[in-house]
C-alpha cells in the first residue's frame, strides 16, 4: 500500500484485524474492488492481505467531461475534489484569454499531478473506484479541435457543419440566445452517452472564444440569472446533468 493510502488508513484509526476496501482506480480495471485485512500498522506503511474481489459500479451512466478555464489560487483544487465526488469522467484545465494562472512545462505537469492526487483522495473519501483523469493543461483552441472522450476522427471534428450545435457539447455562459439549462433538459429526448461541458475562468470566455466554441458545435447554455463563480458553474452543470440521467 502506498504511503498516501497508508496515511489514510492511519487517520481513520484502523487497527490490525480490520478490513479495508482497495481499488486500482483506472477505467481499464472494470470497477474492481478488493477486500483486504490489515496485518500490521507501521509509522509509514500498512501491511495487508487481500481476501476477495468483486465488481462494484458507482459510475454515472453517462460520461461527463469537464473543460474549465482555471480559477485562480486554490479554487481549482476545490473544483477537482467536488467534480470527482459528483462523478465527472475527466477534467481538462484550460488556458483562455482571461485565465489568471498560467503555467508551462514542469510547473504545469506538477500542478496536474497535484490535481490528480486530489482526485484520488476524493475517490477514497466518497467510495468511488474509478479515478477521473486530469488531463494536461491545454489551450482552448487545442481542446476544441480534439476534446478528451471523443471517439471520432479529429480531422472530421475540425470541420463542423453550420448550425451543428449538438446535445453532447455544452458551453456555459450568458451570450444572447443561450438556452436555460432547464429548457435544454425538457427539450432533450435523451442525454447522450458522452457530454462535454465547457466553462470559462473568472470573467468567463471572451466573445470571440464563445464564437469559436459555437463554430465547433457547442450549444450555449445558461444556468440561470445569477452569476456563478468559475469553480461553481461547472459543478452546477454537472449536478444538473446527473439529475437528468
Amino acid at each position: 500500500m502506498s504511503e498516501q493510502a497508508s496515511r489514510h488508513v492511519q487517520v481513520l484509526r484502523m487497527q490490525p484485524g480490520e478490513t479495508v476496501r482497495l481499488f486500482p482506480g483506472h477505467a481499464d480495471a472494470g470497477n474492481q474492488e478488493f477486500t483486504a485485512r490489515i496485518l500490521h500498522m507501521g509509522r509509514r506503511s500498512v501491511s495487508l492481505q487481500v481476501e476477495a474481489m468483486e465488481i462494484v459500479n458507482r459510475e454515472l451512466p453517462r460520461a461527463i467531461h469537464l473543460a474549465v478555464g482555471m480559477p485562480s489560487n486554490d479554487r481549482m483544487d476545490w473544483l477537482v475534489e467536488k467534480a470527482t465526488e459528483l462523478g465527472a469522467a475527466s477534467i481538462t484545465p484550460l488556458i483562455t484569454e482571461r485565465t489568471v494562472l498560467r503555467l508551462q512545462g514542469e510547473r504545469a505537469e506538477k500542478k496536474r499531478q497535484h490535481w490528480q492526487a486530489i482526485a484520488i483522495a476524493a475517490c477514497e473519501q466518497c467510495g468511488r473506484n474509478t479515478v477521473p483523469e486530469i488531463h494536461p493543461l491545454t489551450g482552448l483552441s487545442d481542446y476544441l479541435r480534439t476534446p478528451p472522450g471523443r471517439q471520432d476522427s479529429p480531422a472530421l471534428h475540425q470541420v463542423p457543419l453550420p448550425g451543428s450545435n449538438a446535445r453532447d457539447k455544452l458551453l456555459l455562459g450568458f451570450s444572447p440566445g443561450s438556452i436555460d439549462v432547464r429548457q435544454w433538459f425538457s427539450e432533450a429526448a435523451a442525454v447522450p452517452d458522452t457530454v462535454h461541458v465547457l466553462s470559462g475562468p473568472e470573467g468567463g470566455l471572451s466573445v470571440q472564444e464563445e464564437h469559436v466554441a459555437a463554430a465547433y458545435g457547442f450549444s450555449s447554455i445558461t444556468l440561470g440569472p445569477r452569476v456563478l463563480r468559475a469553480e461553481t458553474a461547472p459543478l452546477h452543470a454537472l449536478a444538473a446533468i446527473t439529475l437528468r440521467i
Side-chain angles (χ1 to χ4, degrees):
M1 177 179 284
S2 68
E3 183 174 337
Q4 179 180 345
S6 298
R7 177 59 181 164
H8 183 70
V9 171
Q10 292 167 339
V11 168
L12 294 176
R13 298 184 182 278
M14 302 188 75
Q15 300 297 322
E18 295 186 88
T19 59
V20 296
R21 304 285 287 181
L22 308 176
F23 59 94
H26 51 83
D28 294 340
N31 305 120
Q32 292 180 347
E33 281 192 7
F34 298 86
T35 301
R37 191 168 301 278
I38 300 174
L39 299 179
H40 173 73
M41 299 281 291
R43 294 186 61 183
R44 294 179 176 272
S45 64
V46 176
S47 299
L48 304 171
Q49 178 178 323
V50 176
E51 296 184 339
M53 186 276 284
E54 61 180 321
I55 303 298
V56 181
N57 186 1
R58 298 190 182 92
E59 294 303 292
L60 297 176
R62 303 288 187 271
I64 305 174
H65 300 273
L66 300 184
V68 295
M70 288 185 299
S72 59
N73 301 323
D74 59 353
R75 292 176 180 172
M76 186 67 182
D77 292 9
W78 186 84
L79 190 160
V80 169
E81 179 182 76
K82 302 311 173 188
T84 298
E85 293 177 15
L86 289 171
S90 74
I91 303 170
T92 303
L94 298 176
I95 295 179
T96 69
E97 287 184 22
R98 295 171 178 163
T99 298
V100 175
L101 181 62
R102 294 180 178 272
L103 303 172
Q104 295 180 0
E106 185 178 348
R107 290 184 62 207
E109 175 56 20
K110 285 184 177 179
K111 248 331 184 188
R112 188 201 66 78
Q113 293 176 7
H114 169 71
W115 291 325
Q116 190 70 71
I118 289 176
I120 292 172
C123 284
E124 293 173 345
Q125 184 276 324
C126 72
R128 186 177 176 185
N129 57 26
T130 299
V131 179
E133 182 176 1
I134 311 301
H135 294 286
L137 183 62
T138 186
L140 177 61
S141 58
D142 290 334
Y143 165 78
L144 290 172
R145 288 197 211 47
T146 339
R150 288 196 64 91
Q151 301 301 318
D152 53 333
S153 166
L156 292 177
H157 183 52
Q158 291 174 17
V159 190
L161 298 174
S164 63
N165 287 15
R167 295 292 184 186
D168 66 336
K169 291 179 286 185
L170 306 181
L171 167 63
L172 308 184
F174 288 93
S175 61
S178 295
I179 304 172
D180 186 276
V181 66
R182 292 165 296 184
Q183 180 183 352
W184 184 86
F185 283 132
S186 66
E187 292 180 352
V191 176
D193 290 340
T194 300
V195 179
H196 299 273
V197 178
L198 172 59
S199 184
E202 289 89 342
L205 299 178
S206 69
V207 173
Q208 178 61 30
E209 287 174 327
E210 289 190 348
H211 287 165
V212 173
Y216 276 95
F218 277 80
S219 300
S220 184
I221 299 295
T222 178
L223 300 175
R226 296 181 300 280
V227 178
L228 303 180
R229 286 185 177 273
E231 71 273 21
T232 306
L235 297 178
H236 183 144
L238 178 55
I241 298 171
T242 299
L243 291 174
R244 178 65 173 82
I245 60 179

